Amino acid sequence: MPEDARAFSTPKPTGLIERILRIATGPDDIVLDFFAGSGTTAHAVMKMNAEASADAPDKNPCRDVCARRVRRVIEGFGDSPALGGDFAYLRCRRIAPGRLLDIEHEQVWTALQMIHRDALAPFEPDGFSWAGDGDSALAYVPRFSAAILPALRKAVADCAAVVLYSWQPETLRQHIRAAHVQHEAIPESLARRFGMKGVCA
């Protein structure tokens, strides 16, 4: 005997509710179940959504509905004034311990900003990425080259405290020597932060 049959005297079959929903609703309709009972309606809706998702694998309610709505509230829409604020839509992806060296520079930059609780700044593929203000800043140098040194030195000089991440920290340390700059190695610092021992050996 199903569990809902023990909890409710008149449980409805999921198939029946699904059939009613197929007749009474369209693809983008919202189903509101005021008296959820044993969750049969939710079960039927989730089953139908799963079928629809198989046809549209890129469907993402968080990105397509929630994130869009929050951005509209920040920027204002219709007669509603802009409320301002900051917002970032992020997608998480589990990185297997042995694949830490395979992550992309954009992912490294996002992870570093999340660790330091900075507002997200875009990744700069040419040169170095920078987030922060005159008091403290975070920098990421994915590939060292002498061409970036003048701009990087100026940015570092204009800031009171800088954490500088690089795949070549020793090389950078030779060129940027300042007491207010903390040099950190990638991927070792990420491996330590996320508890991935032996990844960089």
Side-chain angles (χ1 to χ4, degrees):
M1 178 178 280
E3 187 176 334
D4 58 359
R6 292 193 299 269
F8 294 89
S9 58
T10 59
K12 312 299 183 287
T14 305
L16 172 63
I17 302 300
E18 186 180 341
R19 181 169 167 76
I20 293 170
L21 290 172
R22 289 189 190 282
I23 294 169
T25 64
D28 295 320
D29 285 356
I30 295 172
V31 176
L32 181 58
D33 186 4
F34 287 102
F35 305 100
S38 63
T40 305
T41 301
H43 183 169
V45 169
M46 292 173 73
K47 183 178 175 192
M48 292 169 66
N49 284 344
E51 291 169 5
S53 294
D55 297 332
D58 195 37
K59 189 172 185 180
N60 184 331
C62 183
R63 177 196 65 208
D64 301 334
V65 179
C66 183
R68 185 177 299 162
R69 179 178 183 181
V70 172
R71 287 191 187 100
R72 288 176 61 208
V73 169
I74 290 171
E75 297 166 3
F77 62 97
D79 295 333
S80 300
L83 298 180
D86 293 318
F87 172 77
Y89 166 74
L90 304 172
R91 295 183 70 175
C92 296
R93 181 169 66 90
R94 182 173 177 79
I95 299 171
R99 302 293 305 271
L100 186 60
L101 295 174
D102 296 337
I103 59 176
E104 297 173 8
H105 293 302
E106 292 89 343
Q107 295 170 324
V108 172
W109 179 233
T110 299
L112 294 175
Q113 292 177 93
M114 300 289 286
I115 290 168
H116 289 270
R117 300 175 185 265
D118 281 329
L120 294 182
F123 172 72
E124 297 295 337
D126 301 318
F128 61 93
S129 296
W130 184 273
D133 52 31
D135 294 325
S136 65
L138 169 69
Y140 173 52
V141 179
R143 285 176 291 277
F144 174 79
S145 76
I148 70 168
L149 281 175
L152 184 58
R153 282 183 176 137
K154 180 176 182 344
V156 165
D158 292 341
C159 189
V162 179
V163 182
L164 181 55
Y165 287 88
S166 171
W167 293 81
Q168 300 159 299
E170 294 306 320
T171 303
L172 266 178
R173 191 176 280 115
Q174 292 172 12
H175 294 279
I176 297 180
R177 298 179 187 176
H180 70 287
V181 177
Q182 175 185 339
H183 290 270
E184 293 288 346
I186 296 291
E188 291 83 357
S189 55
L190 288 179
R192 281 194 311 272
R193 176 65 175 81
F194 295 109
M196 298 175 173
K197 296 179 181 176
V199 170
C200 307

